[in-house]
Amino acid sequence: DAGVTQSPTHLIKTRGQQVTLRCSPKSGHDTVSWYQQALGQGPQFIFQYYEEEERQRGNFPDRFSGHQFPNYSSELNVNALLLGDSALYLCASSFRADTSQAFFGQGTRLTVV
Amino acid sequence: DAKTTQPPSMDCAEGRAANLPCNHSTISGNEYVYWYRQIHSQGPQYIIHGLKNNETNEMASLIITEDRKSSTLILPHATLRDTAVYYCIVRGVGNTGKLIFGQGTTLQVKP
Protein backbone atom coordinates (compact mmCIF):
# COMPACT_ATOMS: atom_id res chain seq x y z
CA ASP A 1 0.00 0.00 0.00
CA ALA A 2 1.68 3.16 -1.20
CA GLY A 3 1.66 6.04 1.20
CA VAL A 4 1.54 9.68 0.20
CA THR A 5 3.82 10.36 -2.74
CA GLN A 6 5.09 13.76 -3.78
CA SER A 7 6.99 14.87 -6.84
CA PRO A 8 9.52 16.13 -7.49
CA THR A 9 11.64 15.63 -4.38
CA HIS A 10 13.85 18.62 -5.08
CA LEU A 11 13.44 21.64 -7.32
CA ILE A 12 15.40 24.80 -8.04
CA LYS A 13 13.61 27.75 -9.59
CA THR A 14 14.48 31.33 -10.38
CA ARG A 15 12.77 34.28 -8.76
CA GLY A 16 9.66 35.26 -10.73
CA GLN A 17 9.10 31.83 -12.21
CA GLN A 18 6.12 29.56 -11.60
CA VAL A 19 6.22 26.07 -10.08
CA THR A 20 3.85 23.10 -9.84
CA LEU A 21 4.18 20.46 -7.15
CA ARG A 22 2.26 17.19 -7.21
CA CYS A 23 0.81 14.88 -4.58
CA SER A 24 -0.86 11.50 -4.69
CA PRO A 25 -2.74 10.65 -1.49
CA LYS A 26 -2.58 7.40 0.41
CA SER A 27 -4.86 4.71 -0.99
CA GLY A 28 -8.37 5.16 0.35
CA HIS A 29 -7.89 8.83 1.19
CA ASP A 30 -9.85 11.57 -0.53
CA THR A 31 -8.58 14.76 1.11
CA VAL A 32 -5.30 16.55 0.49
CA SER A 33 -3.81 19.36 2.56
CA TRP A 34 -0.69 21.33 1.70
CA TYR A 35 1.81 22.78 4.17
CA GLN A 36 4.87 24.98 3.83
CA GLN A 37 7.78 24.39 6.19
CA ALA A 38 10.54 26.98 6.34
CA LEU A 39 13.89 25.92 7.74
CA GLY A 40 13.74 25.51 11.50
CA GLN A 41 10.00 26.12 11.69
CA GLY A 42 6.95 23.91 12.06
CA PRO A 43 4.76 23.27 9.01
CA GLN A 44 2.29 26.04 8.14
CA PHE A 45 -1.08 25.20 6.59
CA ILE A 46 -1.61 26.49 3.05
CA PHE A 47 -4.95 24.97 2.01
CA GLN A 48 -7.03 21.80 1.90
CA TYR A 49 -8.82 20.14 -1.01
CA TYR A 50 -11.79 17.84 -0.62
CA GLU A 51 -14.25 16.80 -3.32
CA GLU A 52 -12.19 18.80 -5.81
CA GLU A 53 -12.82 22.07 -3.99
CA GLU A 54 -10.65 24.25 -1.79
CA ARG A 55 -12.25 23.88 1.64
CA GLN A 56 -9.99 25.87 3.92
CA ARG A 57 -7.12 28.24 3.37
CA GLY A 58 -4.33 29.50 5.57
CA ASN A 59 -2.71 32.90 5.52
CA PHE A 60 -1.05 32.63 2.12
CA PRO A 61 -1.34 35.04 -0.83
CA ASP A 62 -3.23 34.31 -4.03
CA ARG A 63 0.07 33.40 -5.69
CA PHE A 64 -0.50 30.03 -4.06
CA SER A 65 -3.22 28.03 -5.77
CA GLY A 66 -4.15 24.42 -6.08
CA HIS A 67 -6.24 21.82 -7.73
CA GLN A 68 -7.62 18.40 -6.93
CA PHE A 69 -8.36 15.85 -9.61
CA PRO A 70 -11.13 13.23 -9.71
CA ASN A 71 -8.62 10.56 -8.63
CA TYR A 72 -7.96 12.69 -5.49
CA SER A 73 -4.43 13.65 -6.48
CA SER A 74 -3.55 17.30 -6.10
CA GLU A 75 -1.28 20.03 -7.40
CA LEU A 76 0.11 23.09 -5.68
CA ASN A 77 0.97 26.00 -7.93
CA VAL A 78 3.03 29.00 -6.90
CA ASN A 79 3.33 31.98 -9.24
CA ALA A 80 5.84 34.81 -9.26
CA LEU A 81 8.24 32.99 -6.97
CA LEU A 82 10.02 34.94 -4.25
CA LEU A 83 13.19 34.01 -2.44
CA GLY A 84 11.05 33.59 0.68
CA ASP A 85 9.09 30.80 -0.97
CA SER A 86 12.11 28.54 -0.51
CA ALA A 87 10.87 25.81 1.81
CA LEU A 88 9.85 22.19 2.18
CA TYR A 89 6.34 21.73 0.81
CA LEU A 90 4.45 18.91 2.47
CA CYS A 91 1.32 17.16 1.33
CA ALA A 92 -0.92 15.39 3.83
CA SER A 93 -3.78 13.07 3.01
CA SER A 94 -6.75 11.98 5.08
CA PHE A 95 -10.27 10.65 4.74
CA ARG A 96 -13.41 12.78 4.46
CA ALA A 97 -11.56 15.95 5.39
CA ASP A 98 -10.73 14.72 8.91
CA THR A 99 -7.09 15.64 9.28
CA SER A 100 -6.71 14.43 12.86
CA GLN A 101 -4.53 11.51 11.77
CA ALA A 102 -3.16 12.84 8.54
CA PHE A 103 -0.49 10.97 6.63
CA PHE A 104 2.30 13.14 5.27
CA GLY A 105 4.49 12.70 2.24
CA GLN A 106 8.26 13.20 2.24
CA GLY A 107 7.87 16.69 0.83
CA THR A 108 9.28 18.67 -2.06
CA ARG A 109 12.28 20.85 -1.28
CA LEU A 110 11.91 24.05 -3.30
CA THR A 111 14.83 26.42 -3.60
CA VAL A 112 14.28 29.82 -5.22
CA VAL A 113 17.43 31.58 -6.42
CA ASP B 1 -7.63 25.18 18.86
CA ALA B 2 -5.78 25.71 22.14
CA LYS B 3 -2.18 26.88 22.18
CA THR B 4 0.58 24.52 23.32
CA THR B 5 3.97 25.14 24.90
CA GLN B 6 6.88 22.73 24.60
CA PRO B 7 10.56 22.95 25.57
CA PRO B 8 12.69 23.63 22.50
CA SER B 9 15.08 20.72 23.04
CA MET B 10 15.76 17.66 25.16
CA ASP B 11 18.39 14.92 25.35
CA CYS B 12 17.86 11.29 26.23
CA ALA B 13 20.22 8.35 26.59
CA GLU B 14 19.64 5.43 24.27
CA GLY B 15 17.58 2.70 25.95
CA ARG B 16 16.16 5.06 28.54
CA ALA B 17 12.64 6.47 28.62
CA ALA B 18 12.14 9.82 26.93
CA ASN B 19 9.52 12.00 28.58
CA LEU B 20 8.38 14.96 26.47
CA PRO B 21 6.17 17.53 28.23
CA CYS B 22 3.52 19.77 26.73
CA ASN B 23 1.48 22.52 28.38
CA HIS B 24 -2.01 23.30 27.07
CA SER B 25 -3.62 25.27 29.86
CA THR B 26 -6.41 26.70 27.66
CA ILE B 27 -7.61 23.33 26.38
CA SER B 28 -11.39 23.01 26.22
CA GLY B 29 -13.47 20.02 27.21
CA ASN B 30 -13.93 18.60 23.72
CA GLU B 31 -10.34 19.05 22.54
CA TYR B 32 -7.91 16.18 22.17
CA VAL B 33 -4.13 16.17 22.52
CA TYR B 34 -2.27 14.88 19.45
CA TRP B 35 1.40 14.11 19.03
CA TYR B 36 3.28 14.02 15.75
CA ARG B 37 7.00 13.70 15.13
CA GLN B 38 9.20 14.68 12.24
CA ILE B 39 12.42 12.86 11.59
CA HIS B 40 14.96 14.89 9.67
CA SER B 41 14.11 15.29 5.97
CA GLN B 42 10.82 13.43 6.31
CA GLY B 43 7.18 14.46 6.66
CA PRO B 44 5.51 14.52 10.09
CA GLN B 45 4.27 11.17 11.41
CA TYR B 46 1.24 10.68 13.66
CA ILE B 47 2.15 9.08 17.01
CA ILE B 48 -0.80 9.07 19.37
CA HIS B 49 -3.74 11.10 20.66
CA GLY B 50 -5.93 11.20 23.77
CA LEU B 51 -8.74 13.07 25.50
CA LYS B 52 -8.36 12.53 29.26
CA ASN B 53 -7.40 8.93 29.86
CA ASN B 54 -3.89 7.68 29.43
CA GLU B 55 -3.27 6.08 26.05
CA THR B 56 -0.71 3.58 24.84
CA ASN B 57 0.12 2.18 21.43
CA GLU B 58 3.06 0.43 19.82
CA MET B 59 4.99 3.67 19.51
CA ALA B 60 4.42 5.55 22.74
CA SER B 61 2.33 6.32 25.81
CA LEU B 62 0.44 9.53 26.46
CA ILE B 63 -0.18 10.71 30.01
CA ILE B 64 -2.69 13.55 30.43
CA THR B 65 -3.03 15.26 33.81
CA GLU B 66 -6.37 15.16 35.57
CA ASP B 67 -7.01 18.85 34.93
CA ARG B 68 -5.96 18.27 31.27
CA LYS B 69 -3.75 21.34 31.30
CA SER B 70 -0.62 19.38 30.47
CA SER B 71 0.49 16.07 29.05
CA THR B 72 3.60 13.94 28.61
CA LEU B 73 4.58 11.77 25.69
CA ILE B 74 6.64 8.80 26.80
CA LEU B 75 8.92 6.79 24.53
CA PRO B 76 9.68 3.87 26.85
CA HIS B 77 13.00 2.73 25.38
CA ALA B 78 14.37 5.46 23.16
CA THR B 79 16.56 4.49 20.23
CA LEU B 80 18.76 6.60 17.98
CA ARG B 81 15.98 6.43 15.38
CA ASP B 82 13.70 8.34 17.76
CA THR B 83 15.81 11.46 17.28
CA ALA B 84 13.28 13.91 15.81
CA VAL B 85 11.19 17.02 16.37
CA TYR B 86 8.09 16.18 18.41
CA TYR B 87 4.97 18.32 18.03
CA CYS B 88 2.12 18.52 20.53
CA ILE B 89 -1.16 19.69 18.94
CA VAL B 90 -4.53 20.33 20.56
CA ARG B 91 -7.70 20.06 18.49
CA GLY B 92 -11.14 18.49 18.29
CA VAL B 93 -11.60 14.96 16.94
CA GLY B 94 -13.27 14.89 13.56
CA ASN B 95 -12.20 18.44 13.06
CA THR B 96 -11.54 19.27 9.45
CA GLY B 97 -8.86 21.53 8.18
CA LYS B 98 -5.50 22.53 9.40
CA LEU B 99 -3.14 21.10 11.94
CA ILE B 100 -1.43 23.92 13.83
CA PHE B 101 2.21 23.06 14.40
CA GLY B 102 4.29 25.02 16.90
CA GLN B 103 8.06 24.88 17.16
CA GLY B 104 8.02 21.46 18.77
CA THR B 105 10.68 19.77 20.92
CA THR B 106 13.86 18.53 19.30
CA LEU B 107 14.69 15.23 20.99
CA GLN B 108 18.27 14.09 20.65
CA VAL B 109 18.82 10.45 21.63
CA LYS B 110 22.46 9.86 22.47
CA PRO B 111 24.36 6.57 22.54
Side-chain angles (χ1 to χ4, degrees), chain A residues 56-71:
Chain A
Q56 292 197 23
R57 188 179 183 91
N59 187 25
F60 280 81
D62 292 344
R63 299 186 297 109
F64 289 77
S65 63
H67 187 77
Q68 186 178 36
F69 299 93
N71 67 353

PDB file of all heavy atoms in Angstrom, chain A residues 56-71:
ATOM      1  N   GLN A  56     -10.524  24.932   2.947  1.00  0.00           N
ATOM      2  CA  GLN A  56      -9.989  25.872   3.922  1.00  0.00           C
ATOM      3  C   GLN A  56      -8.680  26.400   3.380  1.00  0.00           C
ATOM      4  O   GLN A  56      -7.999  25.738   2.596  1.00  0.00           O
ATOM      5  CB  GLN A  56      -9.768  25.222   5.285  1.00  0.00           C
ATOM      6  CG  GLN A  56     -11.037  24.830   6.005  1.00  0.00           C
ATOM      7  CD  GLN A  56     -10.806  24.587   7.487  1.00  0.00           C
ATOM      8  OE1 GLN A  56      -9.854  25.093   8.079  1.00  0.00           O
ATOM      9  NE2 GLN A  56     -11.674  23.820   8.102  1.00  0.00           N
ATOM     10  N   ARG A  57      -8.336  27.610   3.847  1.00  0.00           N
ATOM     11  CA  ARG A  57      -7.117  28.239   3.374  1.00  0.00           C
ATOM     12  C   ARG A  57      -6.422  28.927   4.535  1.00  0.00           C
ATOM     13  O   ARG A  57      -7.077  29.535   5.396  1.00  0.00           O
ATOM     14  CB  ARG A  57      -7.433  29.256   2.281  1.00  0.00           C
ATOM     15  CG  ARG A  57      -6.203  29.827   1.592  1.00  0.00           C
ATOM     16  CD  ARG A  57      -6.578  30.815   0.512  1.00  0.00           C
ATOM     17  NE  ARG A  57      -5.391  31.288  -0.177  1.00  0.00           N
ATOM     18  CZ  ARG A  57      -4.890  30.715  -1.264  1.00  0.00           C
ATOM     19  NH1 ARG A  57      -5.500  29.675  -1.809  1.00  0.00           N
ATOM     20  NH2 ARG A  57      -3.799  31.200  -1.840  1.00  0.00           N
ATOM     21  N   GLY A  58      -5.119  28.797   4.566  1.00  0.00           N
ATOM     22  CA  GLY A  58      -4.335  29.499   5.569  1.00  0.00           C
ATOM     23  C   GLY A  58      -3.974  30.888   5.096  1.00  0.00           C
ATOM     24  O   GLY A  58      -4.467  31.374   4.068  1.00  0.00           O
ATOM     25  N   ASN A  59      -3.080  31.527   5.809  1.00  0.00           N
ATOM     26  CA  ASN A  59      -2.713  32.898   5.518  1.00  0.00           C
ATOM     27  C   ASN A  59      -1.617  32.956   4.452  1.00  0.00           C
ATOM     28  O   ASN A  59      -0.479  33.324   4.736  1.00  0.00           O
ATOM     29  CB  ASN A  59      -2.252  33.580   6.810  1.00  0.00           C
ATOM     30  CG  ASN A  59      -2.024  35.062   6.624  1.00  0.00           C
ATOM     31  OD1 ASN A  59      -2.616  35.672   5.733  1.00  0.00           O
ATOM     32  ND2 ASN A  59      -1.167  35.637   7.442  1.00  0.00           N
ATOM     33  N   PHE A  60      -1.975  32.602   3.252  1.00  0.00           N
ATOM     34  CA  PHE A  60      -1.055  32.631   2.121  1.00  0.00           C
ATOM     35  C   PHE A  60      -1.667  33.456   0.994  1.00  0.00           C
ATOM     36  O   PHE A  60      -2.876  33.438   0.791  1.00  0.00           O
ATOM     37  CB  PHE A  60      -0.754  31.203   1.628  1.00  0.00           C
ATOM     38  CG  PHE A  60       0.259  30.498   2.470  1.00  0.00           C
ATOM     39  CD1 PHE A  60      -0.101  29.894   3.660  1.00  0.00           C
ATOM     40  CD2 PHE A  60       1.590  30.434   2.078  1.00  0.00           C
ATOM     41  CE1 PHE A  60       0.841  29.256   4.456  1.00  0.00           C
ATOM     42  CE2 PHE A  60       2.542  29.789   2.851  1.00  0.00           C
ATOM     43  CZ  PHE A  60       2.155  29.210   4.051  1.00  0.00           C
ATOM     44  N   PRO A  61      -0.823  34.178   0.251  1.00  0.00           N
ATOM     45  CA  PRO A  61      -1.342  35.042  -0.833  1.00  0.00           C
ATOM     46  C   PRO A  61      -1.902  34.220  -1.987  1.00  0.00           C
ATOM     47  O   PRO A  61      -1.699  33.008  -2.082  1.00  0.00           O
ATOM     48  CB  PRO A  61      -0.091  35.828  -1.254  1.00  0.00           C
ATOM     49  CG  PRO A  61       1.062  34.960  -0.874  1.00  0.00           C
ATOM     50  CD  PRO A  61       0.642  34.259   0.380  1.00  0.00           C
ATOM     51  N   ASP A  62      -2.583  34.946  -2.875  1.00  0.00           N
ATOM     52  CA  ASP A  62      -3.227  34.308  -4.026  1.00  0.00           C
ATOM     53  C   ASP A  62      -2.226  33.707  -5.004  1.00  0.00           C
ATOM     54  O   ASP A  62      -2.622  32.957  -5.910  1.00  0.00           O
ATOM     55  CB  ASP A  62      -4.103  35.330  -4.758  1.00  0.00           C
ATOM     56  CG  ASP A  62      -5.298  35.744  -3.933  1.00  0.00           C
ATOM     57  OD1 ASP A  62      -5.600  35.027  -2.946  1.00  0.00           O
ATOM     58  OD2 ASP A  62      -5.923  36.770  -4.246  1.00  0.00           O
ATOM     59  N   ARG A  63      -0.944  34.041  -4.836  1.00  0.00           N
ATOM     60  CA  ARG A  63       0.072  33.399  -5.690  1.00  0.00           C
ATOM     61  C   ARG A  63       0.091  31.882  -5.493  1.00  0.00           C
ATOM     62  O   ARG A  63       0.570  31.138  -6.342  1.00  0.00           O
ATOM     63  CB  ARG A  63       1.469  33.949  -5.372  1.00  0.00           C
ATOM     64  CG  ARG A  63       1.660  35.413  -5.592  1.00  0.00           C
ATOM     65  CD  ARG A  63       3.107  35.812  -5.394  1.00  0.00           C
ATOM     66  NE  ARG A  63       3.593  35.590  -4.029  1.00  0.00           N
ATOM     67  CZ  ARG A  63       4.469  34.634  -3.695  1.00  0.00           C
ATOM     68  NH1 ARG A  63       4.941  33.797  -4.602  1.00  0.00           N
ATOM     69  NH2 ARG A  63       4.870  34.523  -2.439  1.00  0.00           N
ATOM     70  N   PHE A  64      -0.420  31.453  -4.363  1.00  0.00           N
ATOM     71  CA  PHE A  64      -0.496  30.028  -4.058  1.00  0.00           C
ATOM     72  C   PHE A  64      -1.888  29.540  -4.451  1.00  0.00           C
ATOM     73  O   PHE A  64      -2.905  30.041  -3.946  1.00  0.00           O
ATOM     74  CB  PHE A  64      -0.268  29.778  -2.573  1.00  0.00           C
ATOM     75  CG  PHE A  64       1.142  30.005  -2.130  1.00  0.00           C
ATOM     76  CD1 PHE A  64       1.634  31.287  -1.939  1.00  0.00           C
ATOM     77  CD2 PHE A  64       1.997  28.932  -1.891  1.00  0.00           C
ATOM     78  CE1 PHE A  64       2.946  31.506  -1.538  1.00  0.00           C
ATOM     79  CE2 PHE A  64       3.307  29.137  -1.483  1.00  0.00           C
ATOM     80  CZ  PHE A  64       3.777  30.428  -1.310  1.00  0.00           C
ATOM     81  N   SER A  65      -1.940  28.583  -5.351  1.00  0.00           N
ATOM     82  CA  SER A  65      -3.219  28.029  -5.770  1.00  0.00           C
ATOM     83  C   SER A  65      -3.074  26.526  -5.902  1.00  0.00           C
ATOM     84  O   SER A  65      -1.961  25.990  -5.923  1.00  0.00           O
ATOM     85  CB  SER A  65      -3.670  28.635  -7.096  1.00  0.00           C
ATOM     86  OG  SER A  65      -2.751  28.313  -8.130  1.00  0.00           O
ATOM     87  N   GLY A  66      -4.213  25.869  -6.005  1.00  0.00           N
ATOM     88  CA  GLY A  66      -4.153  24.419  -6.080  1.00  0.00           C
ATOM     89  C   GLY A  66      -5.271  23.843  -6.904  1.00  0.00           C
ATOM     90  O   GLY A  66      -6.132  24.549  -7.438  1.00  0.00           O
ATOM     91  N   HIS A  67      -5.220  22.542  -6.974  1.00  0.00           N
ATOM     92  CA  HIS A  67      -6.242  21.819  -7.729  1.00  0.00           C
ATOM     93  C   HIS A  67      -6.288  20.403  -7.208  1.00  0.00           C
ATOM     94  O   HIS A  67      -5.264  19.839  -6.799  1.00  0.00           O
ATOM     95  CB  HIS A  67      -5.891  21.826  -9.218  1.00  0.00           C
ATOM     96  CG  HIS A  67      -6.964  21.263 -10.085  1.00  0.00           C
ATOM     97  ND1 HIS A  67      -8.110  21.954 -10.410  1.00  0.00           N
ATOM     98  CD2 HIS A  67      -7.079  20.046 -10.684  1.00  0.00           C
ATOM     99  CE1 HIS A  67      -8.875  21.188 -11.175  1.00  0.00           C
ATOM    100  NE2 HIS A  67      -8.278  20.038 -11.356  1.00  0.00           N
ATOM    101  N   GLN A  68      -7.489  19.819  -7.232  1.00  0.00           N
ATOM    102  CA  GLN A  68      -7.619  18.397  -6.930  1.00  0.00           C
ATOM    103  C   GLN A  68      -8.328  17.720  -8.088  1.00  0.00           C
ATOM    104  O   GLN A  68      -9.325  18.229  -8.607  1.00  0.00           O
ATOM    105  CB  GLN A  68      -8.401  18.153  -5.638  1.00  0.00           C
ATOM    106  CG  GLN A  68      -8.426  16.676  -5.244  1.00  0.00           C
ATOM    107  CD  GLN A  68      -9.153  16.409  -3.939  1.00  0.00           C
ATOM    108  OE1 GLN A  68     -10.149  17.053  -3.635  1.00  0.00           O
ATOM    109  NE2 GLN A  68      -8.655  15.445  -3.180  1.00  0.00           N
ATOM    110  N   PHE A  69      -7.827  16.594  -8.470  1.00  0.00           N
ATOM    111  CA  PHE A  69      -8.356  15.851  -9.613  1.00  0.00           C
ATOM    112  C   PHE A  69      -9.342  14.785  -9.146  1.00  0.00           C
ATOM    113  O   PHE A  69      -9.378  14.428  -7.974  1.00  0.00           O
ATOM    114  CB  PHE A  69      -7.186  15.233 -10.387  1.00  0.00           C
ATOM    115  CG  PHE A  69      -6.231  16.254 -10.923  1.00  0.00           C
ATOM    116  CD1 PHE A  69      -5.106  16.627 -10.205  1.00  0.00           C
ATOM    117  CD2 PHE A  69      -6.461  16.874 -12.141  1.00  0.00           C
ATOM    118  CE1 PHE A  69      -4.231  17.583 -10.681  1.00  0.00           C
ATOM    119  CE2 PHE A  69      -5.594  17.828 -12.634  1.00  0.00           C
ATOM    120  CZ  PHE A  69      -4.490  18.187 -11.899  1.00  0.00           C
ATOM    121  N   PRO A  70     -10.142  14.243 -10.097  1.00  0.00           N
ATOM    122  CA  PRO A  70     -11.127  13.225  -9.707  1.00  0.00           C
ATOM    123  C   PRO A  70     -10.524  12.006  -9.029  1.00  0.00           C
ATOM    124  O   PRO A  70     -11.211  11.314  -8.272  1.00  0.00           O
ATOM    125  CB  PRO A  70     -11.784  12.854 -11.048  1.00  0.00           C
ATOM    126  CG  PRO A  70     -11.661  14.086 -11.872  1.00  0.00           C
ATOM    127  CD  PRO A  70     -10.321  14.672 -11.499  1.00  0.00           C
ATOM    128  N   ASN A  71      -9.250  11.710  -9.288  1.00  0.00           N
ATOM    129  CA  ASN A  71      -8.619  10.558  -8.627  1.00  0.00           C
ATOM    130  C   ASN A  71      -8.018  10.947  -7.272  1.00  0.00           C
ATOM    131  O   ASN A  71      -7.279  10.166  -6.682  1.00  0.00           O
ATOM    132  CB  ASN A  71      -7.540   9.952  -9.526  1.00  0.00           C
ATOM    133  CG  ASN A  71      -6.354  10.884  -9.732  1.00  0.00           C
ATOM    134  OD1 ASN A  71      -6.376  12.046  -9.308  1.00  0.00           O
ATOM    135  ND2 ASN A  71      -5.323  10.388 -10.377  1.00  0.00           N
TER     136      ASN A  71
END
